Amino acid sequence: MRSLLKFLLLSATIIGLAYVGACAYTKDRTDQFSQALGQYNFLVKKEARYVKIDNAKGKDEDGYGNYDYNLTSYDKDGNEHPIQFTGMGKLKQGHFLEVTTKGAYVYTYREVFKKDMPSDVYTKLQAE
């Protein structure tokens, strides 16, 4: 019984350390593994991030008109994060989007205006 308890405790510790390590590894990464882990990570909350569309950084890789964007985003506090998402068609150059994310996973995006975003974030996006 004692060896079973040790085994369970050791297994839980190893799984916990692997989970924390994976979360630390995927912070501010945009690959598919990071997006999948971010989507199901219960330690990460949904948050809004803001981007300015730059069509020079968008590519139609699948040939069907869906553009993959790799942009710099800012959270409500003005912290910078890389972000990758697929737009349904070519988005309007220079427009601002609010992207709802959970870690690296992107749920939705919508167009916003200056009055809808924090002023310091707007200033940083204008400088790009």
Side-chain angles (χ1 to χ4, degrees), residues 36-55:
L37 187 62
Q39 181 180 7
Y40 298 111
N41 187 348
F42 62 89
L43 298 175
V44 177
K45 300 201 183 314
K46 279 188 182 180
E47 68 176 345
R49 294 186 184 166
Y50 301 92
V51 298
K52 181 178 181 181
I53 296 301
D54 182 3
N55 283 321

Side-chain angles (χ1 to χ4, degrees), residues 50-68:
Y50 301 92
V51 298
K52 181 178 181 181
I53 296 301
D54 182 3
N55 283 321
K57 296 180 181 177
K59 297 177 185 166
D60 182 11
E61 293 187 9
D62 63 4
Y64 292 106
N66 298 322
Y67 280 74
D68 294 324

Side-chain angles (χ1 to χ4, degrees), residues 47-53 73-74 76 83 85 95-101 106-113 116-118 121 125:
E47 68 176 345
R49 294 186 184 166
Y50 301 92
V51 298
K52 181 178 181 181
I53 296 301
S73 68
Y74 296 93
K76 66 179 172 43
I83 194 166
F85 66 98
H95 283 232
F96 300 104
L97 298 181
E98 178 186 81
V99 182
T100 304
T101 65
V106 174
Y107 281 101
T108 62
Y109 63 86
R110 68 180 182 96
E111 186 174 0
V112 293
F113 301 100
D116 298 327
M117 65 178 86
V121 171
L125 288 172

Side-chain angles (χ1 to χ4, degrees), residues 71-92:
L71 302 170
T72 301
S73 68
Y74 296 93
D75 60 19
K76 66 179 172 43
D77 299 323
N79 300 321
E80 184 177 313
H81 304 279
I83 194 166
Q84 178 183 9
F85 66 98
T86 302
M88 301 307 287
K90 192 172 193 177
L91 301 175
K92 295 179 182 174

Side-chain angles (χ1 to χ4, degrees), residues 3-65:
S3 63
L4 178 64
L5 185 60
K6 285 182 183 179
F7 174 75
L8 291 176
L9 185 60
L10 181 63
S11 298
T13 303
I14 290 172
I15 290 170
L17 288 173
Y19 182 75
V20 170
C23 292
Y25 171 76
T26 61
K27 182 171 175 38
D28 286 340
R29 295 180 70 98
T30 59
D31 57 5
Q32 288 183 343
F33 174 72
S34 300
Q35 290 179 3
L37 187 62
Q39 181 180 7
Y40 298 111
N41 187 348
F42 62 89
L43 298 175
V44 177
K45 300 201 183 314
K46 279 188 182 180
E47 68 176 345
R49 294 186 184 166
Y50 301 92
V51 298
K52 181 178 181 181
I53 296 301
D54 182 3
N55 283 321
K57 296 180 181 177
K59 297 177 185 166
D60 182 11
E61 293 187 9
D62 63 4
Y64 292 106

